[in-house]
Amino acid sequence: MELEKLINSCIKKEHQAQNALYKLYKDVLFGVSLKYCINREEAQDNLQDSFIEILNNIKKFNNKGSFEGWMKRITINKAIDKYKKNIKSNTPLKDIHLKGNIEIPPIKEIPLSIILKFIQELPDQYRICFNLYELDNYSHKEISKILSITEGTSKSNLFRAKKVLRNKVLNYKKTNNSHE
């Protein structure tokens, strides 16, 4: 079914079209969810919530940009909204300005599933800043608006995320090289 026809059928709330849309994009959007969620179960919940939002708002898609990109943005925003709801209101976020950059060692020989696991293990604020900046090309200014934090906090969270990931990668390499 052509995408435009599929979208129009979804606007008409045709269940067969909605199911076809889900089957067509569930894997891509699950991958997006995995980047922002702490585990597979949370990612699956985010995927379901995202599809509900997509289907409820599909008539708002205005053909500016790609449909897949529009759905990815909804999926990312759903995960971020859940993160924001889970932030403890009495936990202040510090605005720490750190200089320098932490480079993550080459990861070619590490399976993608392990790298994804390392990212998922990051504290929420680090994981979300890392994903938005490094994987989805948001600027610190954009991240600060999305998460209601300062640009300095965004930079600090990215720096700390890279530091944690660097240590995880080095430990993984050390552990796996010692078994060879």
Side-chain angles (χ1 to χ4, degrees):
M1 188 181 277
E2 183 185 316
L3 183 59
E4 191 174 326
K5 288 180 184 177
L6 184 60
I7 293 170
N8 287 330
S9 296
C10 287
I11 290 171
K12 295 175 187 172
K13 307 239 186 252
E14 294 176 10
H15 293 294
Q16 188 175 7
Q18 291 173 332
N19 191 40
L21 183 75
Y22 178 81
K23 286 181 180 176
L24 188 60
Y25 288 103
K26 68 179 169 99
D27 293 336
V28 170
L29 298 181
F30 184 66
V32 171
S33 292
L34 277 173
K35 289 192 317 191
Y36 287 90
C37 297
I38 200 159
N39 56 41
R40 295 184 71 79
E41 293 78 24
E42 187 179 300
Q44 188 63 43
D45 288 345
N46 191 67
L47 177 67
Q48 297 302 323
D49 293 344
S50 298
F51 262 102
I52 290 168
E53 180 95 4
I54 289 164
L55 293 172
N56 285 337
N57 292 290
I58 198 164
K59 60 186 169 287
K60 294 180 183 177
F61 176 68
N62 56 13
N63 287 318
K64 290 184 181 175
S66 76
F67 182 65
E68 184 175 317
W70 178 77
M71 291 191 304
K72 284 180 178 180
R73 185 168 292 274
I74 288 173
T75 304
I76 290 169
N77 287 338
K78 275 288 175 196
I80 290 171
D81 288 347
K82 183 171 184 171
Y83 160 72
K84 284 181 175 179
K85 286 179 186 174
N86 289 334
I87 292 177
K88 295 176 183 163
S89 59
N90 60 354
T91 305
L93 292 174
K94 295 181 181 175
D95 183 10
I96 301 169
H97 298 275
L98 297 172
K99 293 184 179 182
N101 196 4
I102 299 265
E103 291 299 322
I104 299 172
I107 55 175
K108 294 175 192 163
E109 60 277 356
I110 300 176
L112 185 58
S113 61
I114 298 294
I115 296 166
L116 183 58
K117 179 180 175 284
F118 291 163
I119 292 171
Q120 287 174 327
E121 290 172 348
L122 289 170
D124 292 341
Q125 68 274 19
Y126 297 175
R127 184 183 69 253
I128 290 174
C129 284
F130 178 84
N131 286 332
L132 287 170
Y133 188 85
E134 293 292 341
L135 304 179
D136 292 314
N137 300 313
Y138 282 79
S139 69
H140 286 294
K141 186 174 188 171
E142 292 169 316
I143 295 168
S144 71
K145 287 179 184 173
I146 291 168
L147 298 178
S148 302
I149 59 176
T150 67
E151 286 183 53
T153 300
S154 175
K155 290 175 184 178
S156 174
N157 287 342
L158 176 64
F159 177 87
R160 291 168 188 241
K162 286 183 174 184
K163 189 174 179 181
V164 171
L165 288 174
R166 180 179 188 276
N167 289 336
K168 287 181 179 286
V169 167
L170 290 173
N171 286 337
Y172 179 86
K173 285 183 169 187
K174 187 190 317 183
T175 301
N176 288 307
N177 286 339
S178 66
H179 292 106
E180 293 177 1

